[in-house]
Amino acid sequence: MQKKVTKAVFPVAGLGSRFLPATKAVPKEMLPIVDKPLMQYAVEEAVAAGIDTMIFITGRSKNSIMEHYDKAYELEKELEAKNKTEILNLLHSVIPPNIKCIFIRQPEPLGLGHAVSCAEPVVGDEPFAVILPDDMIYDGTRGCTKQMVDLYEKTGSSVLAVERVDPKETDKYGIVRTGESKGNYAAIEHIVEKPKPDVAPSNLAVVGRYILTPAIFEKIKNTGRGAGGEIQLTDAIADLMKDEQVLAYEFEGIRYDSGAKLGFLIAQVEYGLRHPELKDDFKTYLKEFAKTL
Ligand code: UTP
């Protein structure tokens, strides 16, 4: 019988160099979009997909992620004493009941593939999700990870979220070529990490959401350093495709590349315009401001 996806791996051990100096002491994943850190949006998406075990692959300067998911006793006592129930509830909502958080240290930032392999002792022989928090995906309903879990449950195959990107930007992504389309998904025939536009097999780019079968772990062990001198998840997936079907899934929703400065600013504005408390005032402000541009 097919196993359920109950675990999500969050590789958050990268250097965040595109956001320096902001990320010198603060992890990229703790930068806020409106009133929540990037990390929290990612964990909420996993919870919405029915996942109950969150596995964080962390590195140096990432302790604040652990603190965010730890119980804040003193703060809670203080808020209780001051009868600040609403804020207290907000604090409790960071870790919903029955959710387990596990932290694993990636000793060196050797690449995304290596980071994922650090989760093997906890994931074991089960399918699992990989979520990169700086790729935010808004679909207004069940969430991108749930969409992908549903496809995994239907097919039993690994699933990668993909979207069309500017053909000039293929060298920022893993790029796939797919076979016959089955609507919003298709089997991947070829995958390559960060190809230059003139040799890219398409402009269909892998974004930060994966459902992987546990066979990927053996493949990562046999994967040498690839693009950028890093152990690339893409190369291990290419190897996995020799044994198993891997699907590219064109997700429903809008992706924000919040690991880059412009994408972060766009996310800030659009999430602000959806925020129940702020949207009306923020919209009024933006309309006025636009007149001055
Ligand atoms: P990125 O390519 O976005 O790298 O990694 P980065 O370090 O986060 O950011 P820049 O490019 O230096 O600005 C993709 C994802 O893989 C994780 C990152 O934390 C990010 O979520 N990662 C990358 C690891 O966990 N470990 C690594 O060794 C490399």
Side-chain angles (χ1 to χ4, degrees):
M1 214 186 66
Q2 201 167 290
K3 290 181 179 159
K4 281 187 88 67
V5 180
T6 63
K7 294 169 180 162
V9 175
F10 302 91
V12 291
L15 300 176
S17 53
R18 281 170 295 164
F19 246 115
L20 282 167
T23 48
K24 188 174 175 213
V26 177
K28 173 170 73 174
E29 298 77 14
M30 289 305 291
L31 297 176
I33 297 291
V34 190
D35 53 3
K36 290 190 285 196
L38 288 176
M39 196 65 246
Q40 196 172 327
Y41 290 93
V43 168
E44 286 174 1
E45 189 182 309
V47 172
I51 288 168
D52 64 12
T53 304
M54 312 296 162
I55 305 165
F56 303 85
I57 310 299
T58 72
R60 63 166 279 286
S61 306
K62 302 282 178 167
N63 289 349
S64 56
I65 299 177
M66 206 175 334
E67 276 164 33
H68 190 69
Y69 285 97
D70 205 357
K71 212 166 157 51
Y73 286 106
E74 292 85 359
L75 190 54
E76 286 188 19
K77 285 268 154 315
E78 196 107 340
L79 292 171
E80 258 167 41
K82 291 183 176 155
N83 265 331
K84 297 201 167 173
T85 325
E86 225 170 282
I87 305 178
L88 194 61
N89 289 343
L90 262 183
L91 208 59
H92 287 152
S93 71
V94 173
I95 331 170
N98 309 323
I99 298 299
K100 289 187 278 296
C101 295
I102 296 168
F103 293 84
I104 296 175
R105 185 95 171 186
Q106 184 187 21
E108 267 184 274
L110 295 178
L112 177 58
H114 181 261
V116 169
S117 74
C118 294
E120 185 181 6
V122 179
V123 171
D125 191 26
E126 286 178 25
F128 62 103
V130 175
I131 301 180
L132 307 188
D134 57 350
D135 259 344
M136 302 177 78
I137 298 180
Y138 175 81
D139 76 347
T141 56
R142 58 193 163 147
C144 183
T145 301
K146 174 68 175 143
Q147 294 175 33
M148 296 170 72
V149 166
D150 289 347
L151 183 57
Y152 170 78
E153 286 177 353
K154 184 166 130 185
T155 61
S157 295
S158 294
V159 182
L160 317 187
V162 297
E163 77 172 359
R164 301 252 166 225
V165 296
D166 181 340
K168 290 194 285 294
E169 300 202 331
T170 55
D171 54 2
K172 292 186 182 166
Y173 299 92
I175 300 289
V176 300
R177 188 188 67 230
T178 54
E180 195 196 331
S181 168
K182 306 249 170 66
N184 51 9
Y185 71 95
I188 301 175
E189 292 178 345
H190 181 57
I191 183 166
V192 56
E193 183 65 25
K194 299 190 172 66
K196 293 258 178 277
D198 53 332
V199 293
S202 77
N203 67 336
L204 208 49
V206 178
V207 303
R209 301 287 183 284
Y210 309 73
I211 306 291
L212 296 169
T213 61
I216 194 71
F217 292 124
E218 212 42 50
K219 300 300 181 187
I220 299 173
K221 281 179 201 144
N222 299 323
T223 301
R225 288 176 187 252
E230 295 191 343
I231 297 173
Q232 295 288 355
L233 184 59
T234 300
D235 296 340
I237 291 170
D239 201 9
L240 182 68
M241 281 163 43
K242 293 175 190 158
D243 303 340
E244 296 179 8
Q245 170 175 264
V246 178
L247 301 174
Y249 170 64
E250 289 196 65
F251 60 91
E252 289 158 30
I254 309 168
R255 180 181 70 98
Y256 301 89
D257 178 8
S258 306
K261 288 173 201 172
L262 183 59
F264 183 82
L265 286 175
I266 293 170
Q268 206 67 263
V269 171
E270 295 197 12
Y271 278 77
L273 286 170
R274 289 187 197 112
H275 192 286
E277 274 168 40
L278 302 172
K279 61 182 181 187
D280 294 337
D281 290 346
F282 189 44
K283 196 177 196 174
T284 306
Y285 160 75
L286 282 179
K287 277 186 177 160
E288 285 305 309
F289 185 67
K291 290 179 194 159
T292 69
L293 295 177

